[in-house]
Amino acid sequence: MKRRTAIRQLVVVAGGLALLPSCLSGPGNAAIKLSNIILSGEQEKTLAEIAGTIIPATDTPGAKELGVHLFVLKMLDDCYEKDAQQKFIKGLGQADQVAKERFGASFTKCKPEQRQELISDIENKASLPAEIFDFYQIMKQKTLQGYLSSEYVMTKQLIYEMAPGRYNGYFPVKAS
């Protein structure tokens, strides 16, 4: 075997091994690596739509556009107990099931008004399974946390001041 041919084949094999992990994740799995929970790509899309319904896009990007649902997933995977993770996944499935029963389509395929109606019912604690409330409580809390601590909000919406409330020795004083 010639040396150049052997090096060329070695480079092709090394490149294939480097790309293999990205090919294994596929479109059916979550976009980020999770170590404790198993989530499909469709469930991740549902989470993105729910986050987008909680904080919709206006003249500023919404939670879905900022990828806050990935923050929720990472926090759930890293910081919650196994029991809470299972309730979250079960509640997510039940929320999607309720959307199918009410509107004849999954949450991702519902119209924005239908999504908002379902979220309002969950917030108003309408007659829905208890797991949906557990799921929604975590989802809303982490969506708000993720949105408010996102790079966009911290750099574009909130003006970060290193030492707020600094001393102003030149402040005019009114005589009473």
Side-chain angles (χ1 to χ4, degrees):
M1 181 181 277
K2 295 182 179 181
R3 190 175 79 185
R4 288 183 182 198
T5 304
I7 290 173
R8 187 178 314 137
Q9 290 175 346
L10 183 65
V11 169
V12 169
V13 169
L17 289 176
L19 292 175
L20 186 63
S22 64
C23 295
L24 291 178
S25 64
N29 297 335
I32 59 172
K33 184 178 179 185
L34 302 171
S35 55
N36 297 319
I37 58 175
I38 299 171
L39 203 70
S40 70
E42 190 62 34
Q43 289 174 314
E44 183 185 327
K45 287 179 187 175
T46 304
L47 278 181
E49 293 298 333
I50 291 172
T53 305
I54 293 171
I55 303 176
T58 55
D59 56 339
T60 60
K64 180 182 174 187
E65 288 76 20
L66 294 180
V68 173
H69 66 285
L70 299 176
F71 172 79
V72 173
L73 281 177
K74 195 63 177 167
M75 292 295 287
L76 180 72
D77 189 53
D78 290 346
C79 302
Y80 280 84
E81 298 290 326
K82 190 83 174 166
D83 184 48
Q85 293 171 351
Q86 295 303 319
K87 283 183 181 178
F88 185 88
I89 299 296
K90 189 174 180 181
L92 172 63
Q94 288 183 346
D96 204 32
Q97 185 64 34
V98 168
K100 286 178 185 172
E101 290 172 3
R102 282 190 183 178
F103 308 116
S106 65
F107 192 86
T108 56
K109 295 181 180 169
C110 286
K111 295 176 185 172
E113 304 85 37
Q114 294 170 331
R115 292 179 191 163
Q116 188 62 45
E117 180 183 330
L118 182 59
I119 294 297
S120 295
D121 285 349
I122 294 171
E123 285 190 0
N124 295 330
K125 300 196 182 277
S127 59
L128 296 170
E131 288 85 7
I132 292 179
F133 301 120
D134 296 334
F135 153 75
Y136 186 71
Q137 182 181 12
I138 294 172
M139 182 68 193
K140 185 172 182 179
Q141 179 186 24
K142 294 304 166 194
T143 298
L144 293 176
Q145 181 184 3
Y147 187 80
L148 292 175
S149 61
S150 69
E151 181 181 349
Y152 174 78
V153 171
M154 295 303 283
T155 59
K156 305 274 194 260
Q157 298 297 315
L158 301 175
I159 307 300
Y160 178 73
E161 195 170 344
M162 183 73 150
R166 60 190 160 312
Y167 175 71
N168 183 4
Y170 233 38
F171 191 80
V173 177
K174 293 181 183 176
S176 56

